[in-house]
Amino acid sequence: MLTLVRSRVRTVALALSAVVALAVGATATTATTGAVAAPAPAPAAAKQGPTSVAYVEVNNNSMLNVGKYTLAGGGGNVFDVAVIFAANINYDTGTKTAYLHFNENVQRVLDNAATQIRPLQQKGIKVLLSVLGNHQGAGFANFPSQQAASAFAKQLSDAVATYGLDGIDFDDEYAQYGTNGTGQPNASSFVHLMTALRANMPDKIISLYNIGPAASRLSYGGVDVSSKFDYAWNPYYGSWQVPGITLPKSKLSPAAVEIGRTSQTTAADLARRTVSEAYGVFLTYNLDGANRSADVSAFTRQLYGSDAVYTP
């Protein structure tokens, strides 16, 4: 089996971008803005089979690409979940606190939710915000206290409410734990963060990109947060790897495909195995603006018994 460790263009750490953050202490802005409820989706054509997920690199591509694929047999959406990639967990060296940061491209998507997010939600597609390390030492696994973890959880849930999103995706890469005098991963941090976030968002989606120190620190002090996740998926594109988390098969994606780079043969094999082994999720990454119907059809034939149709 070909194993492709995902390679992503990382402009979030190196490019000059407008820092628009929901920092600790900045909750007054959220209160002023007010929560934005996601619109009720229009009835979608029935689709039987696994939940399909698409990460979109919004530094380069439009979220609207996710809604351009339907199934030839029945007309339902190919993708059920769209993930905005990616916001960041940054570190303020002055206050020694982590804060949620949006680069200019992520901020543009959020500020234009009416045209970039709502059209997907109106089709019944859930939209999540992925949060990623940013080479500054702050990560999900090294909050020094329960209070610090809860403060960051509040920033995440405020962002979901403010922009009318459907949930949060955790991706514990590129934190560079220890940078800027930050601590190394500890056992309690991610448990405290997940506990607080789930309490803040009881009805929203929380997903885990199964990589990094946080993914292996899901239990502390008799509390296991595994069941608080809605989904978890394999982080290695072109491969099959069951996430090491105690969730039912219906919530796991052992298959991972990078659209345009994973071969159609491999994608079809991974989709076929997903169905034959009764897993409930199929993960894809890097959906761009090209007509990828051939690549997408390679897995939809196996997942749903139908080709994919691309509508510009």
Side-chain angles (χ1 to χ4, degrees):
M1 180 74 71
L2 173 64
T3 300
L4 289 174
V5 179
R6 72 173 176 185
S7 59
R8 294 172 166 182
V9 178
R10 305 289 181 182
T11 62
V12 291
L14 301 177
L16 290 175
S17 63
V19 177
V20 182
L22 293 172
V24 174
T27 55
T29 301
T30 300
T32 302
T33 304
V36 176
K47 182 179 78 172
Q48 300 296 321
T51 296
S52 288
V53 181
Y55 277 87
V56 178
E57 286 266 15
V58 296
N59 287 331
N60 309 304
N61 299 300
S62 170
M63 290 300 296
L64 297 178
N65 295 333
V66 181
K68 294 179 179 179
Y69 292 87
T70 55
L71 296 173
N77 299 316
V78 166
F79 298 105
D80 305 287
V81 179
V83 186
I84 301 168
F85 188 80
N88 295 102
I89 177 171
N90 278 13
Y91 189 69
D92 186 322
T93 56
T95 61
K96 300 187 185 305
T97 55
Y99 66 93
L100 182 61
H101 167 69
F102 307 137
N103 78 356
E104 60 186 357
N105 299 304
V106 173
Q107 189 67 59
R108 187 180 301 113
V109 171
L110 297 175
D111 286 344
N112 292 282
T115 57
Q116 297 298 307
I117 296 172
R118 302 293 174 260
L120 299 179
Q121 292 173 326
Q122 288 163 359
K123 291 180 178 183
I125 299 169
K126 302 295 187 181
V127 181
L128 311 185
L129 178 67
S130 188
V131 186
L132 177 74
N134 203 11
H135 310 274
Q136 298 182 9
F140 315 127
N142 70 342
F143 287 105
S145 67
Q146 183 174 2
Q147 291 74 20
S150 295
F152 189 72
K154 180 67 162 54
Q155 293 180 56
L156 295 175
S157 56
D158 282 351
V160 168
T162 298
Y163 297 107
L165 302 172
D166 296 296
I168 292 291
D169 173 67
F170 286 110
D171 183 349
D172 191 13
E173 298 181 277
Y174 308 104
Q176 289 187 223
Y177 290 103
T179 300
N180 290 320
T182 56
Q184 292 299 315
N186 63 63
S188 63
S189 176
F190 197 41
V191 172
H192 290 322
L193 177 60
M194 267 300 301
T195 299
L197 184 61
R198 179 49 80 197
N200 293 350
M201 310 192 318
D203 301 318
K204 297 293 185 177
I205 295 170
I206 306 177
S207 59
L208 178 66
Y209 192 82
N210 191 50
I211 198 169
S216 61
R217 290 167 169 81
L218 302 178
S219 180
Y220 174 76
V223 176
D224 190 317
V225 295
S226 298
S227 63
K228 297 183 184 299
F229 289 95
D230 293 279
Y231 303 114
W233 29 72
N234 171 17
Y236 301 107
Y237 297 110
S239 76
W240 178 273
Q241 184 179 105
V242 179
I245 179 173
T246 307
L247 283 174
K249 282 185 170 185
S250 61
K251 297 185 175 185
L252 297 176
S253 180
V257 168
E258 182 169 358
I259 295 174
R261 292 193 65 181
T262 301
S263 74
Q264 293 176 23
T265 298
T266 299
D269 288 343
L270 291 171
R272 188 179 302 111
R273 187 171 179 183
T274 297
V275 172
S276 67
E277 297 190 23
Y279 283 95
V281 189
F282 191 83
L283 176 68
T284 73
Y285 166 66
N286 208 24
L287 183 66
D288 60 20
N291 181 351
R292 298 290 183 183
S293 57
D295 293 304
V296 174
S297 293
F299 59 81
T300 60
R301 290 187 197 108
Q302 306 302 321
L303 296 177
Y304 311 119
S306 173
D307 282 341
V309 176
Y310 172 79
T311 304

